[in-house]
Amino acid sequence: MKKLHKIATLIFLISSLGLYGQKLETFNLNDLIEISDNYGIDSALNTCRIPIRLLPPELIQQLYKKATHSNSSENIKYLLLEYSSLEKNQVKEKIIRKIQLENTYKNINEINFENYDFIRNILADYLGSECWQVLYYDRNIGILDVGCVYAPKNGHGALYKLELKQDEIILYKINKWIS
């Protein structure tokens, strides 16, 4: 009986590692240029799941130039359409929290977000094999994309903008969605 209990406990622990051992993925937005050079603009646009209007302006400009010299596809049409209406489509950002950091940072990717309760709680809502947590970043700006396809959150997610100001993070809620 003890052996069966140990096996059951071990199975439980291993399965929980899959849920709670999830780590925030990071993606440097500047890699989109390299991806578009090596694999094409469509591949670069498919790699980034956040709306184009949230990308840094200089990156949008570079992607736009590549798109105008590429064969038309749905992704490229979307990029061109978004680019033409960027002035009108300003993102409404609502500050939801200012977080004092323990250190001064130059790049948002250097921060361990597990050390900050508010962000850690956001990430904790999106754990599991059917969920994702991705931080798209460019130097001091990050877009946190979190969501779940199934299970506890059933097609639920959010986009947050994180702005690094040396020893402070300003957190904006861009949108929440339910599918």
Side-chain angles (χ1 to χ4, degrees):
M1 188 62 135
K2 277 187 175 183
K3 194 173 195 176
L4 184 60
H5 185 305
K6 284 182 182 180
I7 292 171
T9 304
L10 187 59
I11 290 171
F12 174 74
L13 288 174
I14 291 171
S15 64
S16 6
L17 286 176
L19 296 177
Y20 299 105
Q22 188 168 338
K23 184 169 171 50
L24 175 67
E25 292 179 48
T26 59
F27 182 84
N28 186 337
L29 289 169
N30 290 314
D31 290 345
L32 290 175
I33 298 304
E34 185 179 336
I35 292 169
S36 69
D37 288 344
N38 294 333
Y39 304 103
I41 186 76
D42 263 342
S43 294
L45 295 173
N46 279 334
T47 301
C48 187
R49 294 190 317 215
I50 61 174
I52 291 163
R53 68 183 182 279
L54 299 177
L55 298 175
E58 61 277 0
L59 180 60
I60 295 173
Q61 183 70 31
Q62 289 177 299
L63 292 172
Y64 173 77
K65 285 180 184 176
K66 290 178 176 291
T68 57
H69 301 309
S70 299
N71 294 331
S72 186
S73 70
E74 290 303 313
N75 283 338
I76 291 173
K77 287 177 188 174
Y78 176 71
L79 171 68
L80 297 175
L81 179 66
E82 281 283 303
Y83 185 84
S84 68
S85 60
L86 276 178
E87 295 289 322
K88 299 175 203 167
N89 279 338
Q90 292 300 318
V91 178
K92 294 178 182 165
E93 300 170 344
K94 178 183 175 189
I95 295 177
I96 57 172
R97 184 67 55 112
K98 291 184 178 183
I99 301 168
Q100 190 65 39
L101 301 173
E102 297 165 353
N103 297 309
T104 300
Y105 299 95
K106 292 183 179 181
N107 189 319
I108 205 160
N109 189 41
E110 299 170 351
I111 302 167
N112 181 356
F113 293 108
E114 289 294 318
N115 292 340
Y116 302 97
D117 291 340
F118 191 78
I119 297 174
R120 184 176 55 239
N121 290 338
I122 291 171
L123 297 173
D125 279 347
Y126 300 96
L127 293 172
S129 61
E130 302 296 335
C131 299
W132 65 90
Q133 306 170 344
V134 182
L135 176 66
Y136 297 95
Y137 69 93
D138 180 33
R139 295 178 299 267
N140 66 332
I141 299 292
I143 304 296
L144 180 60
D145 178 14
V146 292
C148 291
V149 179
Y150 304 110
K153 291 292 179 178
N154 285 334
H156 179 270
L159 280 176
Y160 298 92
K161 177 180 175 182
L162 290 78
E163 184 176 1
L164 173 62
K165 302 270 186 170
Q166 294 183 337
D167 64 346
E168 179 181 61
I169 288 261
I170 303 171
L171 188 67
Y172 304 86
K173 180 171 38 172
I174 297 173
N175 70 14
K176 284 194 164 202
W177 56 266
I178 298 173
S179 60

